[in-house]
Every structure is written in C-alpha cells, then in structure tokens.
Amino acid sequence: MEKPSYRRILLKLSGEALMGKQAYGIDDAVLAGLSAEIREVAGLGVQVALVVGGGNIFRGIGTNRDFGIDRASADHMGMLATVINSLALQDVLERTGVTTRVLSAIEMHAIAEPYIRRRALRHLEKGRVVIFAAGTGNPYFTTDTAAALRAMEINADAILKATKVDGVYDRDPMLDPKAKKYSRLTYLDVLRKNLKVMDATAISLCMDNDLPIVVFNLTKKGNILKAVLGERIGTVVHGGK
Ligand code: UDP
C-alpha cells in the first residue's frame, strides 16, 4: 500500500482549472476527473481540504475589464463565484461517494455551513472532504491567500497548488521554450524574483508559518496522488532549511 507523505493537505484549485478548454464556466468532464483523483487520495486516509478560485466565472480585478463596479463589490461577486464552484465540486464528489462539507466564509445558511475552524477540523478528522468557499470573506484578497490562511488554521502539512504547467519556471514556459524549471525554491526566492506561484500575501503567510507549497501540473492525470505520495513532481517552495 502506498504511503502518503502528508496526513492533511490543502489543495488549491484555480477557478480556471474547472473550465477545461472552455472560455468560461465549468466543464463536467474536468470536474469528474478531478473528483476521481480527490477520491483516490482521500481513500488513502489523507485528510483533504479544498479551496477553489472563481476566475472561471468572475474576478474582482485583473482581466482588463472595467465594469465600473466598486472594487469591494466586484470582490464580493468574485467570492460568490467561488461558492458556485464549491457547490459544483461538492456535488460531483458526493456522486462519486465522497462525503463533503462546504464551509463558507460568507454566511449563506441555506446552501453551506458557516466557516467555523473547529467544525472544519472535526469534519477532516471524520474523513470528510472540506471545501472552503467564499475565499477569506474579505475583499482585496485572493483565493491563494484564503488557501494559505485556511491551511494554517487547519494545521495542514502542505498546500498543493494546482497549475497548468509542471511547476515554477524562471520565465513563462508557454512563451519561452528555454524557460528553466525549479525543483525547489525558498519563499524569499519567490518574492525576490517575483515568480508566479501565489500572490505575495499568500507567500508571506506561508513563509511566516513555514508551510510548504507544492506547485504541480493538474492537467496531468494522477498528479494529485503523486504529489501526496511525495513524488518529485513540480516545484516545492519551502523555508530553505
Ligand atoms: N476574492 C476576494 N477575497 C478573497 C478571495 C477572493 O475578494 O478572500 C475575490 C476576488 O475578486 C478574486 C475573486 O474572488 O478575484 C476570485 O478569486 P481568485 O481570483 O483568487 O480565483 P482564481 O484565480 O483562483 O480562479
């Protein structure tokens, strides 16, 4: 039996990860594939928490758009987008036989439990997959920061940050074929070189609390399991010790 390297993980999925080849929204096949992989990992006894972004539906900033909506309101809209994604993930996971709970940072009793740290821990101990919805509940943050915050709060062993490329590169590998991949990096390297791993707030939080980040390619089937088993895929961001 394969032995996981982590007892409890926080898996961060961007909203775009749910989109597949579509330009917007949620792709059923991608969701089904993801939930099968999460099920496999949870089946090994690993406690799994998820944070999903909302960029496949709405982002507060960053996409060359200006709807003339106040930033805080736009961010609230973005957080609601993460709730939509969380409910979609919950449904598909439950259909594959995984027990889940959605805990929302913005209270909406009819569809999700409110985020209560101790409750989240209890669900994880009982083997339920916990989906943290609505980011941090505050505007001017991102779901990367929400992932770092929740990972700390639940004492996760690592953040698994899913991306579309094989790890962290010195340049964008989609634009430059000579881009070099790092297998290990310190938090300070990421901040100093302004590498695109997570935003600076999220990286600083991880640095202050020495929480490793495993950056890996989600589009390769089986990679979530490999990351959990500690196989050398992607890039590990750590404190340098
Ligand atoms: N958001 C926010 N506070 C949070 C988390 C998210 O205001 O704590 C908003 C913000 O507008 C962000 C949007 O929700 O642009 C969607 O989240 P994010 O951009 O992190 O999603 P991803 O890029 O991972 O799909």
Side-chain angles (χ1 to χ4, degrees):
M1 169 115 167
E2 293 156 310
K3 196 169 166 336
S5 294
Y6 306 110
R7 177 191 53 99
R8 180 177 289 165
I9 57 157
L10 190 138
L11 175 62
K12 165 70 205 320
L13 306 168
S14 69
E16 282 176 2
L18 307 188
M19 202 157 79
K21 292 199 169 61
Q22 298 174 188
Y24 176 86
I26 300 170
D27 182 317
D28 296 351
V30 170
L31 266 192
L34 258 175
S35 56
E37 290 198 47
I38 293 166
R39 182 186 173 189
E40 201 175 8
V41 167
L44 292 176
V46 178
Q47 297 177 17
V48 181
L50 296 170
V51 168
V52 60
N56 55 327
I57 301 171
F58 193 88
R59 274 208 184 89
I61 57 160
T63 40
N64 302 325
R65 291 168 320 188
D66 180 8
F67 291 118
I69 299 171
D70 169 70
R71 167 76 193 268
S73 297
D75 281 344
H76 284 135
M77 293 165 70
M79 285 186 269
L80 293 180
T82 74
V83 179
I84 294 175
N85 286 334
S86 298
L87 293 178
L89 263 174
Q90 172 173 51
D91 187 75
V92 180
L93 279 166
E94 296 261 343
R95 270 190 277 142
T96 57
V98 180
T99 310
T100 64
R101 293 289 186 273
V102 175
L103 271 58
S104 175
I106 297 174
E107 288 196 25
M108 39 185 101
H109 292 286
I111 55 176
E113 292 182 15
Y115 171 68
I116 297 170
R117 178 177 166 267
R118 282 177 181 277
R119 198 179 275 186
L121 290 171
R122 187 88 184 107
H123 289 320
L124 289 166
E125 282 157 8
K126 288 193 166 184
R128 296 169 184 147
V129 169
V130 172
I131 307 169
F132 294 119
T136 62
N138 299 296
Y140 297 95
F141 287 97
T142 64
T143 50
D144 280 351
T145 300
L149 174 66
R150 295 293 183 244
M152 242 72 83
E153 289 184 278
I154 62 166
N155 305 317
D157 300 318
I159 296 186
L160 270 49
K161 159 82 179 169
T163 66
K164 282 184 279 188
V165 287
D166 287 326
V168 185
Y169 286 77
D170 58 351
R171 282 158 284 175
D172 187 343
M174 306 272 196
L175 301 176
D176 187 344
K178 290 203 186 107
K180 191 173 122 283
K181 188 182 124 187
Y182 299 102
S183 59
R184 287 174 76 77
L185 275 171
T186 66
Y187 306 108
L188 279 177
D189 288 335
V190 173
L191 293 173
R192 282 197 196 119
K193 297 182 176 145
N194 197 20
L195 298 170
K196 303 280 170 263
V197 178
M198 292 170 115
D199 58 77
T201 314
I203 296 289
S204 305
L205 256 179
C206 293
M207 181 167 73
D208 290 347
N209 297 281
D210 215 5
L211 183 78
I213 308 164
V214 182
V215 185
F216 71 101
N217 189 346
L218 184 71
T219 62
K220 284 199 186 142
K221 203 166 166 273
N223 260 359
I224 301 179
L225 179 64
K226 284 185 182 164
V228 164
L229 294 176
E231 288 185 27
R232 289 179 72 89
I233 56 161
T235 303
V236 179
V237 185
H238 62 103
K241 277 171 234 152

